[in-house]
Amino acid sequence: MKEKHFDINENGASVRCRIMTEGDSRTFDKVVIATHGYGSNKDVANITRFAEKYLAKNKDAAVIAFDWPCHGMDGRKKLELTDCMDYMTLVVNYARDTLKAKEIFNYSVSFGGYLTLKYIVEIGNPFEKTALRAPGIHMHDLMLKNVKDTDLDKLAKGKDVQIGFERKMKVDQTLFADLAKSDVSKYEYFDYADSMIVIHGTKDEMVPIKDSEEFCENNVIEFVPVEGADHPFRNPKLMDTAIHTVVEFFA
């Protein structure tokens, strides 16, 4: 597998991207956009593993990963949902216009899964098929858990606070208002149900599996529980099970 890092510089944004391929072609019939979760980045091992497995069976395809705003090598300091939507649009346009993709797929995890669901309903659905692993259905509540109790007062007063793991990012009350407004559990996905799958570990300690179960039941979406898997799917065998499910679904 070959990979290359590049930036998409448009509309005042600089999206840090990573493309993985089997050959040297510059155009691809199929492109998978793979997005990472909160606090992660485009170079995370599960994306690499997915690309290896997917490209082994689809040698004429490409996998693109990118850093969400305020993640990885991205230059932004403050997390805003509008920036996230803009980044996804730029990557989708790159896949369609530069790589000449006839089909675009989406494989997203956690926070990336939430943003993908938001994008599909609010912006449009450019994806032939979408596979989500442990998506943050109730992202407002999940994100609020990252704010220290001592910072809640600052948020209420309209001040910025810092959240994050290895890399810190600024957030304010506007982000949480936007998350509440874009509550994907309240949207309907019946029109996309046949082209969507949700995978979730039964031992997920960060995003409750019941959130995915209810979401899939309400929208008649295929739900695949993976017995014993935690949120990041740290067990390599269980990770491979999830990836195999996605690769087969995209086929």
Side-chain angles (χ1 to χ4, degrees):
M1 185 179 77
K2 299 180 179 181
E3 66 174 90
K4 182 179 75 172
H5 287 73
F6 67 98
D7 298 345
I8 301 174
N9 297 305
E10 283 185 45
N11 304 334
S14 182
V15 186
R16 308 300 172 90
C17 301
R18 172 191 184 207
I19 185 169
M20 289 151 279
T21 62
E22 277 293 322
D24 297 315
S25 177
R26 294 188 178 184
T27 61
F28 304 90
D29 286 347
K30 296 181 179 181
V31 173
V32 179
I33 296 175
T35 83
H36 62 79
Y38 170 76
S40 188
N41 61 73
K42 66 184 178 303
D43 298 302
V44 70
N46 77 77
I47 289 179
T48 304
R49 185 69 171 159
F50 166 77
E52 289 171 348
K53 295 283 189 181
Y54 181 75
L55 295 173
K57 289 194 172 186
N58 299 272
K59 299 187 184 300
D60 59 343
V63 176
I64 295 181
F66 65 96
D67 288 329
W68 288 116
C70 306
H71 289 72
M73 300 300 291
D74 184 70
R76 295 186 187 272
K77 301 289 192 290
K78 189 170 184 177
L79 184 63
E80 298 182 8
L81 294 187
T82 52
D83 291 336
C84 297
M85 296 296 97
D86 290 344
Y87 278 32
M88 181 73 91
T89 295
L90 289 172
V91 176
V92 167
N93 289 347
Y94 182 88
R96 183 183 290 134
D97 300 336
T98 303
L99 301 181
K100 307 300 182 185
K102 296 175 182 174
E103 295 179 313
I104 302 173
F105 299 82
N106 182 295
Y107 169 47
S108 291
V109 175
S110 196
F111 179 55
Y114 162 78
L115 292 171
T116 296
L117 288 170
K118 172 180 165 66
Y119 192 91
I120 286 172
V121 167
E122 296 183 2
I123 309 296
N125 183 25
F127 308 118
E128 193 74 19
K129 289 186 177 180
T130 299
L132 307 175
R133 201 185 86 225
I137 302 298
H138 298 291
M139 203 66 225
H140 175 276
D141 298 343
L142 295 170
M143 191 69 81
L144 202 58
K145 290 180 181 178
N146 293 297
V147 180
K148 298 176 184 176
D149 290 343
T150 51
D151 285 337
L152 291 174
D153 285 343
K154 291 181 182 177
L155 265 185
K157 293 174 182 175
K159 296 180 180 179
D160 292 347
V161 299
Q162 298 267 1
I163 63 171
F165 302 120
E166 292 179 12
R167 176 177 171 176
K168 301 296 183 183
M169 64 192 84
K170 291 180 183 178
V171 299
D172 62 15
Q173 194 59 47
T174 302
L175 174 71
F176 291 95
D178 288 346
L179 286 168
K181 182 180 177 183
S182 294
D183 180 354
V184 298
S185 71
K186 300 293 194 294
Y187 293 154
E188 291 186 350
Y189 290 85
F190 298 116
D191 291 345
Y192 320 109
D194 291 343
S195 63
M196 193 176 290
I197 192 171
V198 175
I199 301 164
H200 209 123
T202 62
K203 300 294 185 182
D204 193 322
E205 71 291 352
M206 295 180 71
V207 179
I209 188 173
K210 67 176 178 59
D211 292 355
S212 286
E213 287 179 309
E214 290 174 2
F215 173 77
C216 289
E217 187 175 328
N218 291 339
N219 291 282
V220 201
I221 292 169
E222 183 180 355
F223 176 65
V224 182
V226 179
E227 190 63 41
D230 58 8
H231 186 67
F233 277 63
R234 275 182 283 246
N235 183 316
K237 289 185 178 180
L238 298 181
M239 174 61 78
D240 281 348
T241 296
I243 288 173
H244 175 76
T245 301
V246 176
V247 171
E248 290 300 306
F249 181 63
F250 287 171

